[in-house]
Amino acid sequence: MNKIPFVMTPLERKVSFSIAFIYALRMLGIFIVLPIMALHAKQLEHASPFLVGISVGIYGLTQAFLQIPFGWLSDKYGRKIVIFFGLVIFIIGSIIAAESATIYGVVVGRSLQGAGAISAVLMSLAADHTSENNRTKIMAAIGIAIGFTFLLSLILGPLLQSLIGMDGIFWMIAAVSYTHLTLPTNREV
C-alpha cells in the first residue's frame, strides 16, 4: 500500500479547475454588485430602494427557479450544451445591465444573468468526471472558489466602480464570460 489513495488524475484536476473557475465567474456576477449597487442606482432613472433591492435579489431568484429545469435539460441534452447556453444568457444579461440607463433595465439584465442557471449543471459535470473518492475534493475546490470570489468582489467592486463604473463592471463580466464559453470537448472530459 505505498500508493497514495484518492489522488486526482490529470483529467480530474483539469475538470476541477475549469468547473471551479466557471462557478467562480458566476458567483462574481452576484457578489460584485453587492457593495456598490446602492451607489450606482442613484444614477439610474426610476430608482427606488425597493427596485434596487429587486435588482440585487432577482439574480438569485431566477437562478433558483431555473436550477431544476437546467438540470433536467443537461440530463437530456448534455452538460456542455446547457453550460454554453447558460453562459450565453448570462452574457446577454450582463450586456443589458451595462447598457441600461434605468433601474428597470438593470433588473432585466440581472434577471437574465441569474437565468443562466448553470450551478447545478456544473455540480453534475463535476460528479460525472470525478471518481467517488475524489468528489469531495472538487466540491471543496468549488467552495474555495466561491469564498475567494466573495472576498475578491468586496475588494474589487468599489475599486472597479471608481475606475470603470458599474457599466464597465457589467461589460467586464460579459467579456470574461465570453472567453470561457467552451469547456473541453466531451472526449477530453
Side-chain angles (χ1 to χ4, degrees):
M1 292 205 82
N2 293 337
K3 189 174 181 181
I4 299 172
F6 312 124
V7 174
M8 294 181 81
T9 67
L11 179 62
E12 287 176 321
R13 282 193 300 272
K14 181 178 180 180
V15 169
S16 297
F17 177 77
S18 295
I19 291 171
F21 188 79
I22 291 172
Y23 211 108
L25 174 70
R26 298 272 300 138
M27 295 296 101
L28 186 64
I30 292 175
F31 298 146
I32 202 161
V33 300
L34 295 178
I36 55 178
M37 183 54 90
L39 297 173
H40 171 67
K42 291 178 185 177
Q43 303 167 4
L44 300 172
E45 293 178 38
H46 312 294
S48 70
F50 175 76
L51 290 173
V52 172
I54 294 293
S55 71
V56 172
I58 196 76
Y59 184 113
L61 187 63
T62 56
Q63 183 171 338
F65 280 134
L66 293 171
Q67 288 300 321
I68 292 173
F70 271 46
W72 178 79
L73 289 170
S74 76
D75 289 342
K76 185 170 181 159
Y77 298 107
R79 312 276 190 239
K80 185 178 175 185
I81 190 68
V82 174
I83 291 169
F84 179 86
F85 181 68
L87 285 172
V88 168
I89 293 172
F90 181 79
I91 291 167
I92 291 169
S94 298
I95 292 169
I96 289 172
E99 290 295 307
S100 295
T102 69
I103 190 69
Y104 300 115
V106 172
V107 168
V108 169
R110 295 281 294 159
S111 66
L112 285 172
Q113 281 184 318
I118 58 171
S119 298
V121 180
L122 289 170
M123 291 294 194
S124 297
L125 185 65
D128 292 346
H129 296 292
T130 54
S131 67
E132 191 173 327
N133 294 334
N134 288 326
R135 207 155 290 142
T136 55
K137 290 179 184 177
I138 190 170
M139 297 306 162
I142 291 169
I144 290 168
I146 292 168
F148 180 73
T149 301
F150 182 74
L151 176 65
L152 190 64
S153 68
L154 292 176
I155 296 167
L156 286 181
L159 178 64
L160 289 172
Q161 167 72 16
S162 67
L163 294 174
I164 60 176
M166 189 66 136
D167 57 335
I169 291 172
F170 284 124
W171 277 111
M172 179 193 71
I173 292 170
V176 171
S177 298
Y178 179 77
T179 64
H180 294 91
L181 276 177
T182 58
L183 284 174
T185 64
N186 291 332
R187 280 184 230 117
E188 294 172 328
V189 184

